[in-house]
Amino acid sequence: MASTADFRNGLTIYFNNELYTIIEFQHVKPGKGAAFVRTKLKNVKTGKVLPNTFPSGTRIDIARVERRKFQYLYQEGELYQFMNLDDYEQIGIDGELINAPDLMKEGQEVEIVIHADTDTPLFCELPPFVEMQITYTEPGMKGDTATNTMKPATVETGATVRVPLFLEEGEWIRVDTRTHEYCERIKK
């Protein structure tokens, strides 16, 4: 058992019989009345964020979660197969638990957050940015670099990303896995 004094960003707690991660918190000591803690909690399963206020000193249950490094192997139906990089054990995870499954390449390293008490995977996170090669895009016109116009491009995993008009097939780009947006061109 812990209290609100133990709050920190990223802490996973049991709240309303579900697992929530603290996104942000603020201790408030008003001039009049008792102190309290204002928080934003993210549901681990649904991803829904809700604000909540705890009276200062409230007892909470902390959930034990572990971040483990895995390597993506292949997709088999709805399941994505991963290998633990420490003990080479393989697990299958549903695509709903992965933040950007369409941007995952075979052999890519990811982090899987596992509930330590039940040893079940909660969610899978890709690195914030991945490097992809453009496999198909319409050709851009010469001189079309003055505007911020974007066009669709298919990358090597089959995902579609909006890129500037001057990019062509075969070029490498950096993609943000959280937003599916183009970041920059990469020289390889």
Side-chain angles (χ1 to χ4, degrees):
M1 237 2 173
S3 73
T4 55
D6 299 315
F7 277 4
R8 65 184 186 281
N9 291 341
L11 181 70
T12 305
I13 63 171
Y14 291 104
F15 179 69
N16 291 343
N17 296 325
E18 291 190 43
L19 287 174
Y20 284 87
T21 300
I22 298 173
I23 296 174
E24 65 181 58
F25 69 97
Q26 178 183 19
H27 288 280
V28 180
K29 293 181 184 177
K32 209 176 202 183
F36 58 90
V37 180
R38 197 176 286 138
T39 62
K40 283 190 182 175
L41 304 172
K42 180 179 180 181
N43 189 315
V44 170
K45 286 200 166 60
T46 64
K48 185 177 178 182
V49 176
L50 64 101
N52 191 51
T53 303
F54 293 94
S56 188
T58 301
R59 308 297 281 161
I60 54 163
D61 288 328
I62 296 177
R64 283 191 16 203
V65 294
E66 297 175 357
R67 290 183 167 275
R68 298 182 191 163
K69 295 233 182 265
F70 281 80
Q71 182 180 29
Y72 172 58
L73 299 175
Y74 58 91
Q75 182 180 359
E76 187 176 47
E78 291 294 313
L79 290 179
Y80 291 80
Q81 300 295 324
F82 295 90
M83 178 181 65
N84 189 330
L85 293 177
D86 294 329
D87 60 9
Y88 306 110
E89 185 179 324
Q90 292 186 19
I91 62 168
I93 292 183
D94 195 330
E96 294 176 0
L97 300 178
I98 304 169
N99 67 339
D102 56 339
L103 293 176
M104 237 176 0
K105 294 192 285 189
E106 289 183 8
Q108 184 172 18
E109 209 172 284
V110 298
E111 272 193 346
I112 297 179
V113 177
I114 296 180
H115 190 265
D117 297 337
T118 60
D119 207 36
T120 56
L122 298 174
F123 57 91
C124 173
E125 288 182 341
L126 273 71
F129 301 98
V130 291
E131 295 177 358
M132 297 276 169
Q133 185 175 23
I134 297 174
T135 56
Y136 174 77
T137 188
E138 295 292 327
M141 302 296 274
K142 192 169 185 125
D144 277 343
T145 58
T147 62
N148 268 347
T149 323
M150 305 290 253
K151 63 181 179 180
T154 305
V155 294
E156 58 189 297
T157 61
T160 302
V161 178
R162 305 227 6 112
V163 298
L165 293 173
F166 59 85
L167 289 175
E168 298 175 2
E169 288 181 24
E171 293 195 72
W172 287 82
I173 59 172
R174 182 168 284 128
V175 180
D176 189 332
T177 58
R178 299 160 292 194
T179 61
H180 278 70
E181 290 180 354
Y182 162 83
C183 294
E184 63 184 344
R185 177 168 42 179
I186 300 170
K187 300 283 185 194
K188 283 223 174 195

